Amino acid sequence: MSDVRTVVVEREMAHAPEKIWRALTQPHLIQEWLMQSDFAPDLGHKFQFKAEWGAVECKVLEVEPKKRLAYSWEAYGLESVVTWTLEPTANGTLLRMEQKGFKPDQNQAFHGARHGWQNFFNQLENVLAQPKQEEAQ
């Protein structure tokens, strides 16, 4: 299994872990930067991310509020796990996303994810910069 690849995106954001956690776990906020979903931060919860191109089947695998979140991510033959890690820094939070599970013959998915997650991070930063995000509970 050593030929299984991982996409990693790390970015320091000038926001508190609590604020980023809300954007990672509240469906109305997730929809603004990632996709429409019926996510809930409950261990074992099954949910979907939905987009024009189809749906991603997911299941919550790990929840450590404001620190770590992991869920399975399965679509079009890809069986992977997305893990989010939030680490407080002097200027905000170091946010790390790791998507593990790309097989050697899944080049299109791997390169699509590498590009896609950069875009999702940019959109997440835009959502976090909106003042209304503060009020969302």
Side-chain angles (χ1 to χ4, degrees):
M1 287 273 284
S2 62
D3 50 0
V4 170
R5 292 178 290 175
T6 302
V7 171
V8 176
V9 180
E10 272 190 351
R11 196 175 293 179
E12 186 164 357
M13 299 188 172
H15 302 284
E18 295 79 12
K19 185 172 184 176
I20 295 173
W21 182 259
R22 280 197 302 272
L24 293 178
T25 59
Q26 293 190 1
H28 69 283
L29 295 174
I30 295 169
Q31 181 175 341
E32 288 189 46
W33 66 271
L34 185 58
M35 286 179 258
Q36 188 176 4
S37 79
D38 53 346
F39 177 84
D42 301 320
L43 207 56
H45 175 71
K46 291 183 178 177
F47 65 100
Q48 288 186 325
F49 285 120
K50 293 180 186 150
E52 315 80 55
W53 48 262
V56 180
E57 297 294 330
C58 305
K59 180 179 175 183
V60 177
L61 304 173
E62 198 175 333
V63 179
E64 193 178 341
K66 301 173 196 146
K67 292 184 180 181
R68 191 173 167 90
L69 174 67
Y71 43 79
S72 61
W73 176 287
E74 299 180 10
Y76 300 105
L78 173 65
E79 295 181 7
S80 64
V81 173
V82 172
T83 303
W84 295 93
T85 310
L86 293 79
E87 189 177 312
T89 65
N91 301 316
T93 305
L94 178 64
L95 181 63
R96 175 186 169 97
M97 186 287 313
E98 182 178 295
Q99 184 175 12
K100 184 183 272 185
F102 296 92
K103 296 180 184 120
D105 63 348
Q106 294 176 317
N107 272 326
Q108 186 174 351
F110 177 73
H111 292 293
R114 282 177 57 191
H115 177 75
W117 282 114
Q118 291 292 341
N119 288 340
F120 290 142
F121 264 68
N122 292 341
Q123 290 169 230
L124 174 59
E125 290 208 77
N126 291 339
V127 169
L128 291 168
Q130 295 171 10
K132 69 174 187 178
Q133 203 272 332
E134 286 291 344
E135 298 139 29
Q137 290 301 322

